[in-house]
Amino acid sequence: MKRFLLLFFCLIIGNSQAQNIFINEVMTSNASTIADDDDSYEDWIEIYYTGTIAFNLEGYGLSDLPSNPYQWVFPEYWIEPGDHLLLWCSGKNRTDINYPLHTNFKLSSSGETITLTRPDGTIQDQYLAIVIPTDFSYGRQSDGAVAKVFFQTATPGDPNNTVQGFSEILNPPTFSVAGGFFTNPFSLTLSPPDPGVTIVYTTDGSDPEITNLGGTTYSYKNTYPFDPGTLPS
């Protein structure tokens, strides 16, 4: 009876801690952000754990293929509370826990569903297909939160609350005239591809900011002192 109660108690603890495992951040097109242990720029997935005791990820499946949730299976890896586990999606299939872990699949920059599956076949966490620009990442802000945002500055292996996140990535505006040097005046039209977008621009070389829409006031003097010690008028 004591053994049964102990086993039951351990199962309850294990199941409760499992709820604290998240796909925290993903990068599907890594051109220059961070290199793996082979010094190559591979895509990656970050796992975050909010539990209170170490948890064994052995038997969990990670996949970008809905028909095969156990495309890559975790080895006996104990993740510690607050850890950010970086998994390289390189196709190299490395499961030695003494070295960086690599999945046996790569991620598509065109967007695909990424799923973390428990050993019992139920879904632990999932990212639906979304297109992420090169060297941008997509993840939770803050760590383990429900809301997901785009990060222009990715944080592989680090907390996500240290950088600014964006709810969407807009397409660049279309210019009616290509850039260059001109000697004659011309008309220029800026067209946003995304609906409901406001384009902010300046013609004086200053940074385009919403707060500058009213223009900038410059102070200048009409007269200057000529003799030493004379105050300006």
Side-chain angles (χ1 to χ4, degrees):
M1 179 63 69
K2 290 183 179 180
R3 290 183 178 179
F4 174 78
L5 291 176
L6 179 61
L7 177 62
F8 183 69
F9 180 69
C10 289
L11 288 175
I12 291 177
I13 292 179
N15 289 335
S16 64
Q17 295 299 320
Q19 304 303 318
N20 301 315
I21 301 170
F22 301 92
I23 299 174
N24 202 49
E25 188 177 4
V26 300
M27 178 173 282
T28 61
S29 181
N30 176 20
S32 61
T33 298
I34 183 174
D36 69 1
D37 44 320
D38 294 328
D39 203 29
S40 60
Y41 290 90
E42 306 290 352
D43 302 333
W44 47 266
I45 296 173
E46 180 191 80
I47 303 296
Y48 178 64
Y49 177 52
T50 64
T52 57
I53 59 174
F55 184 81
N56 188 4
L57 289 170
E58 184 177 14
Y60 274 71
L62 191 64
S63 177
D64 65 345
L65 191 63
S67 61
N68 182 14
Y70 297 99
Q71 187 174 5
W72 186 81
V73 179
F74 279 84
E76 185 180 354
Y77 184 94
W78 290 85
I79 187 170
E80 298 290 336
D83 269 3
H84 297 79
L85 172 61
L86 193 63
L87 303 170
W88 295 102
C89 299
S90 63
K92 300 173 184 178
N93 193 24
R94 297 174 182 173
T95 57
D96 187 338
I97 63 172
N98 297 303
Y99 300 93
L101 299 176
H102 289 250
T103 68
N104 56 356
F105 62 88
K106 297 185 177 183
L107 299 178
S108 172
S109 59
S110 61
E112 57 191 357
T113 298
I114 301 171
T115 306
L116 179 65
T117 305
R118 303 185 188 100
D120 64 4
T122 58
I123 293 177
Q124 173 68 35
D125 199 5
Q126 188 175 68
Y127 276 37
L128 299 179
I130 188 169
V131 178
I132 307 171
T134 298
D135 284 323
F136 277 65
S137 66
Y138 184 69
R140 302 177 184 275
Q141 193 174 47
S142 57
D143 295 331
V146 175
K148 300 183 185 73
V149 295
F150 293 93
F151 296 106
Q152 186 173 10
T153 302
T155 59
D158 293 315
N160 290 352
N161 58 359
T162 59
V163 296
Q164 183 179 6
F166 302 91
S167 59
E168 60 181 324
I169 303 295
L170 300 178
N171 296 302
T174 300
F175 289 71
S176 62
V177 179
F181 295 93
F182 303 90
T183 57
N184 298 317
F186 63 93
S187 297
L188 175 66
T189 301
L190 305 180
S191 304
D194 302 290
V197 170
T198 298
I199 297 177
V200 179
Y201 68 93
T202 61
T203 58
D204 60 0
S206 61
D207 292 335
E209 297 287 349
I210 292 293
T211 55
N212 291 340
L213 290 182
T216 303
T217 300
Y218 298 93
S219 300
Y220 62 92
K221 296 181 293 184
N222 287 321
T223 60
Y224 297 86
F226 289 94
D227 300 321
T230 303
L231 296 177
S233 57

